[in-house]
């Protein structure tokens, strides 16, 4: 008799447990359904890319009900690229020149041609490149303001005319790469009095001390502001364009089409000079990338403060 009672009690407890489990399961399912609207935004491991990733994340959070996970500073170009293709992340900022030349080993062309080719190449892999941000983080040549004023330098062609009076100080690999000094020499007939290879950080110290007259740089590098350098125009478009913009999985866009309109709010919003300043706020002033990104969006009127 006691055994029967025990069995009955155990049966009742089991039934209650099943009911509770079922309720719990439904609750978890509802929560999963509610929380399923999410996206992971990533970035490469340098200041500019981290700032741009935070901008995109901030906009999506402010303008949609999509939950955003941020995995910034993930690694170099190929690391983040593979993460995107493997659906470990769904969105990150990249550059047309990197996509065309690095990922697909194709020729770039002008900004318009590179953008078109970028979209064509990505489409085959079910990826998309949305509207460019406006800045072009390409290679360039820079001089001090004093040198620019002295020789009235505005373009690479202007520099070529007086290059035999100057010393070039650039990164080591720039001296030997076909898309570096050898290519510039050939296209612009630019031949410096002397050329020196050095580490990236030393280049800026050298030009500031007058040990060199010309250096290579990235168009959006914060060091350009710090050392008051003047970027010269690549008037024959030797360097490929590196126009920045959002790269996103097409299946993510299909699932959340509202993301495209939201991210396109950044179209043409960031000039090279503005990107330099944003980078400088992090690299020189010590501000946090997410704060810099948010403040910029507020300043542009894209989100509320």
């Amino acid at each position: 008799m006691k055994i029967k009672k025990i069995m009955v009690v155990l049966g009742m407890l089991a039934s209650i447990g099943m009911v509770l489990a079922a309720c719990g399961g439904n609750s978890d399912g509802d929560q999963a359904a509610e929380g399923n609207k999410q996206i992971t935004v990533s970035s490469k491991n340098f200041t500019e890319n981290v700032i741009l990733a935070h901008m995109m994340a901030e906009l999506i959070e402010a303008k949609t009900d999509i939950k955003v996970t941020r995995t910034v500073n993930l690694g170099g170009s190929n690391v983040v690229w593979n993460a995107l293709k493997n659906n470990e992340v769904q969105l990150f900022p990249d550059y047309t020149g990197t996509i065309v030349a690095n990922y697909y080993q194709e020729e770039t062309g002008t900004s318009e041609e590179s953008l078109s080719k970028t979209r064509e190449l990505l489409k085959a892999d079910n990826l998309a490149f949305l509207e460019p941000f406006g800045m072009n983080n390409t290679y360039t040549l820079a001089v001090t303001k004093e040198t620019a004023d002295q020789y009235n330098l505005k373009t690479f062609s202007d520099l070529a005319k007086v290059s035999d009076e100057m010393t070039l100080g650039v990164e080591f690999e720039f001296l030997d790469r076909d898309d570096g000094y050898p290519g510039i020499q050939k296209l612009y007939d630019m031949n410096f009095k002397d050329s020196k290879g050095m580490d990236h950080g030393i280049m800026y110290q050298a030009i500031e001390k007058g040990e060199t007259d010309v250096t290579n740089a990235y168009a959006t590098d914060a060091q350009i502001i710090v050392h008051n350098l003047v970027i010269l125009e690549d008037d024959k478009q030797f360097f490929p364009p590196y126009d920045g913009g959002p790269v996103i999985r097409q299946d993510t866009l299909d699932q959340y089409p509202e993301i495209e309109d939201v991210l396109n709010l950044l179209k043409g919003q960031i000039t090279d000079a503005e990107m330099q300043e944003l980078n400088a706020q992090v690299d020189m002033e010590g501000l946090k990338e997410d704060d810099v990104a948010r403040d910029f969006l507020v300043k542009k009127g894209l989100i509320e403060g």
Side-chain angles (χ1 to χ4, degrees), residues 96 99-100 114-123 129:
T96 54
I99 294 168
V100 175
S114 292
L115 178 58
S116 177
K117 184 169 285 190
T118 292
R119 286 173 168 161
E120 177 187 342
L121 292 167
L122 289 176
K123 187 175 182 180
F129 190 93

Side-chain angles (χ1 to χ4, degrees), residues 264-282:
N264 283 347
L265 293 173
L266 283 171
K267 177 183 178 181
Q269 288 284 353
I270 313 172
T271 65
D272 290 356
E274 285 174 325
M275 196 70 244
Q276 289 173 19
E277 177 58 37
L278 296 176
N279 289 333
Q281 287 178 27
V282 174

Side-chain angles (χ1 to χ4, degrees), residues 26-239:
N26 288 339
S27 177
D28 290 344
D30 291 341
Q31 289 174 4
E34 291 172 2
N36 196 38
K37 204 168 185 181
Q38 56 189 351
I39 183 174
T40 299
V41 178
S42 190
S43 83
K44 305 181 191 184
N45 54 354
F46 60 94
T47 299
E48 175 173 303
N49 213 249
V50 175
I51 293 172
L52 293 172
H54 280 303
M55 282 188 193
M56 296 192 299
E58 288 282 350
L59 274 176
I60 293 172
E61 288 176 337
K63 303 289 186 180
T64 75
D65 58 351
I66 300 170
K67 180 182 177 182
V68 179
T69 299
R70 309 185 193 194
T71 58
V72 296
N73 261 317
L74 189 61
S77 292
N78 291 331
V79 172
V80 189
W81 172 247
N82 287 326
L84 181 75
K85 293 183 71 176
N86 293 333
N87 202 22
E88 295 163 8
V89 305
Q90 289 75 52
L91 167 69
F92 79 101
D94 212 344
Y95 307 88
T96 54
T98 302
I99 294 168
V100 175
N102 185 25
Y103 304 149
Y104 293 100
Q105 290 83 49
E106 298 270 354
E107 295 292 328
T108 51
T110 64
S111 281
E112 293 75 15
E113 291 167 344
S114 292
L115 178 58
S116 177
K117 184 169 285 190
T118 292
R119 286 173 168 161
E120 177 187 342
L121 292 167
L122 289 176
K123 187 175 182 180
D125 282 327
N126 293 312
L127 304 172
F129 190 93
L130 304 183
E131 294 298 332
F133 299 133
M135 27 70 65
N136 179 9
N137 188 18
T138 187
Y139 265 124
T140 188
L141 295 177
V143 297
T144 63
K145 190 175 185 306
E146 292 74 20
T147 299
D149 290 342
Q150 180 181 352
Y151 294 96
N152 193 27
L153 301 179
K154 292 183 173 60
T155 67
F156 284 17
S157 292
D158 294 336
L159 178 62
K161 297 173 184 176
V162 294
S163 57
D164 59 352
E165 301 177 35
M166 299 184 180
T167 296
L168 176 69
V170 295
E171 293 169 299
F172 289 106
E173 64 176 1
F174 192 84
L175 287 178
D176 303 315
R177 286 171 41 166
D178 289 337
D179 60 347
Y181 184 34
I184 291 176
Q185 281 182 301
K186 183 176 180 180
L187 180 61
Y188 284 98
D189 192 23
M190 190 182 297
N191 296 285
F192 290 95
K193 176 178 62 178
D194 191 15
S195 56
K196 302 177 180 179
M198 54 191 70
D199 291 329
H200 184 78
I202 297 176
M203 292 188 322
Y204 295 107
Q205 298 175 23
I207 196 169
E208 186 171 40
K209 293 177 180 178
E211 297 170 359
T212 60
D213 304 294
V214 183
T215 190
N216 73 292
Y218 297 107
T220 57
D221 196 334
Q223 296 289 343
I224 292 171
I225 294 177
V226 173
H227 297 283
N228 196 27
L229 300 180
V230 175
I231 291 177
L232 301 179
E233 179 191 351
D234 182 6
D235 49 309
K236 294 184 181 179
Q237 297 184 326
F238 171 75
F239 291 119

